[in-house]
Amino acid sequence: MTEYLVRKALKSDAAVLEALEHDAFGDRSWGAAGVAGSFGAPGVEILFCSRSGAQPVGFAIWRALPGEAELLSIGVAPDRRRGGAGAALLDAVIDAAGRVGARAIHLEVDPGNRAAMALYIRAGFAETGRRKAYYRSGADATLMSKRV
Ligand SMILES: CC(C)(COP(=O)(O)OP(=O)(O)OC[C@H]1O[C@@H](n2cnc3c(N)ncnc32)[C@H](O)[C@@H]1OP(=O)(O)O)[C@@H](O)C(=O)NCCC(=O)NCCS
């Protein structure tokens, strides 16, 4: 499996993040304004994942809250999936959350998103509840958490 480097994204990376997020999410994208708004939002950190010296292939956006953390978004370019980038990003978020004192990390996921569900379960997340009609599609969200 490819070794990935994970680094913090900077405001100067905004265009790269927007393109990557759109590539990963397609019509479920937050849009350029939504993505750009993540930079500088309170407690929010954006991580990029790449091979040494190469363009990022994936990103994660998470937020530190008092005593806990929330994964806001994670995505990998479609042609780079199943290579370990998503797992590397998720591990980095879990580590970073632990370093700032989070005791748990929470997320929402569409239960029909098999890849994401498998990624989270593999990393030790467990279902804690449901949120009705959470997505634009009208689908419910599954709430998941992991103790850090
Ligand atoms: C979810 C996503 C980030 C996973 O990224 P990835 O780089 O492909 O994930 P990895 O290669 O690190 O996979 C790690 C584990 O997740 C699981 N997994 C990932 N994709 C999977 C798939 N399509 N089917 C089943 N399991 C999958 C596997 O357990 C995998 O481990 P394995 O390869 O050893 O079997 C990626 O599919 C993606 O960007 N999807 C679109 C955006 C999205 O839906 N984000 C989540 C929103 S909640």
Side-chain angles (χ1 to χ4, degrees):
M1 186 170 291
T2 313
E3 283 295 315
Y4 285 105
L5 299 174
V6 178
R7 70 163 173 94
K8 280 188 199 178
L10 307 172
K11 188 135 198 186
S12 55
D13 294 311
V16 175
L17 177 66
E18 283 167 27
L20 199 47
E21 197 266 353
H22 187 267
D23 203 18
F25 281 92
D27 61 7
R28 295 183 294 137
S29 166
W30 287 358
V35 173
S38 305
F39 285 100
V44 170
E45 184 173 86
I46 302 164
L47 300 176
F48 273 164
C49 179
S50 60
R51 283 192 283 168
S52 178
Q55 280 285 92
V57 300
F59 70 94
I61 306 176
W62 71 281
R63 172 164 59 195
L65 299 163
E68 55 190 354
E70 186 180 13
L71 180 68
L72 300 175
S73 186
I74 185 168
V76 172
D79 60 347
R80 301 303 181 96
R81 291 181 187 159
R82 297 312 296 264
L89 283 159
L90 190 55
D91 285 351
V93 170
I94 294 165
D95 283 354
R99 280 200 300 277
V100 298
R103 290 182 297 278
I105 179 161
H106 310 286
L107 60 83
E108 290 97 20
V109 58
D110 178 343
N113 187 340
R114 287 184 50 235
M117 288 295 293
L119 173 70
Y120 300 143
I121 288 168
R122 185 179 183 271
F125 283 81
E127 181 171 343
T128 55
R130 290 261 166 156
R131 192 162 281 161
K132 281 276 172 207
Y134 180 79
Y135 293 103
R136 271 179 276 172
S137 65
D140 296 350
T142 294
L143 308 181
M144 301 183 90
S145 295
K146 174 186 167 70
R147 294 179 74 87
V148 176

